Amino acid sequence: MKALITGITGQDGSYLADFLLEKGYEVYGMVRRSSTETFERIAHIKDRLNLRQADLLDQLSLIKLLEEVQPDEIYNLAAMSFVPTSWNQPMLTGEYTAIGVTRLLEAVRLICPKARFYQASSSEMFGKVREVPQVETTPFHPRSPYGVAKAYGHYITVNYRESYGLFALSGILFNHESPRRGKEFVTRKISDAVAQIKLGFAKELRMGNVDAQRDWGFAGDYIRAMWMMLQMEEPDDFVISTGVSHSVKEFLEAAFSHVGLHWQDYVVEDPSLFRPAEVDHLLGSSAKAERVLGWKPHVDFKGLVRMMVDADMERWKQVKK
């Protein structure tokens, strides 16, 4: 089996590549040509991967890529994925995260219509939530250019499935974190700062809205759900979540207490870090995924926080040496 992963150098792409290699797949990764190529997350498996250059902004490059690889499964994880940046670069966010999905689906339709296609949808599409918990039928009300673009990507995937009979589906994944998370994301920002403060590299942590609530899971659990979706007989969309929400404040408390510190002694609330439109409470129900796929998360909230803090502590201890 051949799998193509767009966004293979990201958190999810790297865990998915690990997972598929273990299952005996031939794994191809799409990477953009850039002046600063970062392969840190896949360095341990780079010699086992087939990396190819292409770009979601360039239709022809996608067509050529699919012609060359002829994949059985395609996982579209590439996107402009950091929500705050989507306000600063709304047009680029739309090009990658919305129109980019259409370019890739159109290439699939033309070149390898039998391939199975996974689209990475997001809980940010729910935004100003209409019901709690959010399920597959909950209406979308995105509150950022990123959320709006993801909603487009979601519906265009549904459209290609219904219009052209493609095996195309979306996983509506709630927040999922890991030691491989980018440091700009709030969970990794916290775990990294906790390690720095504990080891004497920093004195404070500046935070935005600490009352926002999220349904946080472990990325390693969530990529397993992506694969399970593409093994079904018929394509369908699924919410993937833990079903338990925690506030940013709770994450701070768990992270700092793990190293014996009180978060209130080090955290400074900074109004400039608040979003223009906040998403206050995301909480998903993955009852359908549990019933149909047999999927359940293995790592709980406290286990996730400990895993992330421990990894950053280890990294900063190496710096201290």
Side-chain angles (χ1 to χ4, degrees):
M1 290 285 283
K2 283 192 281 190
L4 171 66
I5 304 171
T6 75
I8 194 168
T9 60
Q11 169 189 256
D12 291 9
S14 65
Y15 277 110
L16 181 60
D18 283 336
F19 180 84
L20 294 176
L21 284 171
E22 280 183 25
K23 289 204 167 287
Y25 278 68
E26 197 176 328
V27 179
Y28 289 79
M30 187 183 97
V31 293
R32 279 187 301 140
R33 174 76 184 92
S34 70
S35 55
T36 54
E37 293 177 331
T38 53
F39 299 116
E40 180 187 348
R41 294 184 183 95
I42 55 170
H44 63 294
I45 52 170
K46 193 159 179 267
D47 61 342
R48 299 171 63 196
L49 301 172
N50 302 286
L51 300 181
R52 298 288 186 272
Q53 285 187 359
D55 198 309
L56 289 178
L57 301 188
D58 183 355
Q59 181 82 61
L60 189 56
S61 72
L62 298 173
I63 289 171
K64 286 181 175 176
L65 175 65
L66 294 184
E67 281 178 337
E68 180 190 348
V69 176
Q70 292 290 330
D72 300 295
E73 296 176 359
I74 300 163
Y75 297 86
N76 184 35
L77 311 184
M80 202 305 295
S81 61
F82 186 48
V83 176
T85 300
S86 72
W87 275 285
N88 297 328
Q89 297 182 308
M91 302 297 285
L92 189 65
T93 300
E95 283 289 346
Y96 271 116
T97 310
I99 304 300
V101 185
T102 316
R103 290 192 189 99
L104 185 52
L105 281 166
E106 188 64 7
V108 172
R109 182 179 76 82
L110 293 170
I111 306 303
C112 49
K114 298 297 183 192
R116 297 188 164 209
F117 180 89
Y118 173 87
Q119 166 61 15
S121 288
S122 167
S123 59
E124 287 286 333
M125 301 187 305
F126 295 121
K128 191 174 183 180
V129 299
R130 308 287 181 88
E131 62 183 357
V132 179
Q134 292 90 57
V135 296
E136 290 78 6
T137 54
T138 302
F140 299 147
H141 188 145
R143 300 265 282 170
S144 66
Y146 170 78
V148 172
K150 277 292 186 184
Y152 176 102
H154 180 86
Y155 280 127
I156 200 68
T157 302
V158 172
N159 187 257
Y160 269 68
R161 177 170 76 221
E162 294 177 351
S163 302
Y164 300 116
L166 296 185
F167 193 106
L169 54 78
S170 296
I172 307 173
L173 271 55
F174 278 65
N175 295 64
H176 46 289
E177 320 296 317
S178 75
R180 299 183 194 176
R181 193 57 142 152
K183 290 179 197 169
E184 69 273 23
F185 291 87
V186 67
T187 51
R188 183 71 197 289
K189 177 181 174 180
I190 292 170
S191 66
D192 186 62
V194 165
Q196 288 193 58
I197 290 168
K198 179 65 176 177
L199 297 171
F201 289 102
K203 290 187 169 60
E204 68 174 28
L205 168 60
R206 304 190 77 79
M207 294 291 297
N209 180 14
V210 299
D211 293 316
Q213 295 186 337
R214 294 291 183 272
D215 182 330
W216 279 302
F218 171 50
D221 284 336
Y222 285 39
I223 57 95
R224 183 165 40 87
M226 297 177 188
W227 176 80
M228 293 170 88
M229 287 180 217
L230 289 196
Q231 312 315 308
M232 292 190 302
E233 286 187 17
E234 297 293 331
D236 199 2
D237 305 322
F238 291 88
V239 163
I240 301 298
S241 64
T242 68
V244 183
S245 70
H246 296 273
S247 65
V248 175
K249 195 180 289 182
E250 287 177 86
F251 200 103
L252 285 164
E253 189 174 351
F256 275 94
S257 65
H258 184 52
V259 296
L261 300 175
H262 296 288
W263 71 273
Q264 295 95 330
D265 297 337
Y266 304 98
V267 173
V268 178
E269 202 163 37
D270 184 346
S272 73
L273 297 176
F274 278 63
R275 293 181 178 187
E278 186 56 77
V279 174
D280 293 312
H281 188 198
L282 291 177
L283 173 63
S285 167
S286 53
K288 179 180 170 184
E290 189 175 326
R291 185 179 71 252
V292 178
L293 302 174
W295 178 87
K296 275 186 178 180
H298 295 159
V299 179
D300 66 7
F301 176 72
K302 287 190 174 174
L304 174 67
V305 176
R306 286 195 297 268
M307 178 199 302
M308 293 180 69
V309 172
D310 287 345
D312 278 320
M313 283 289 289
E314 197 55 43
R315 200 169 49 81
W316 280 103
K317 281 175 185 173
Q318 298 302 319
V319 174
K320 203 161 190 177
K321 285 179 182 176

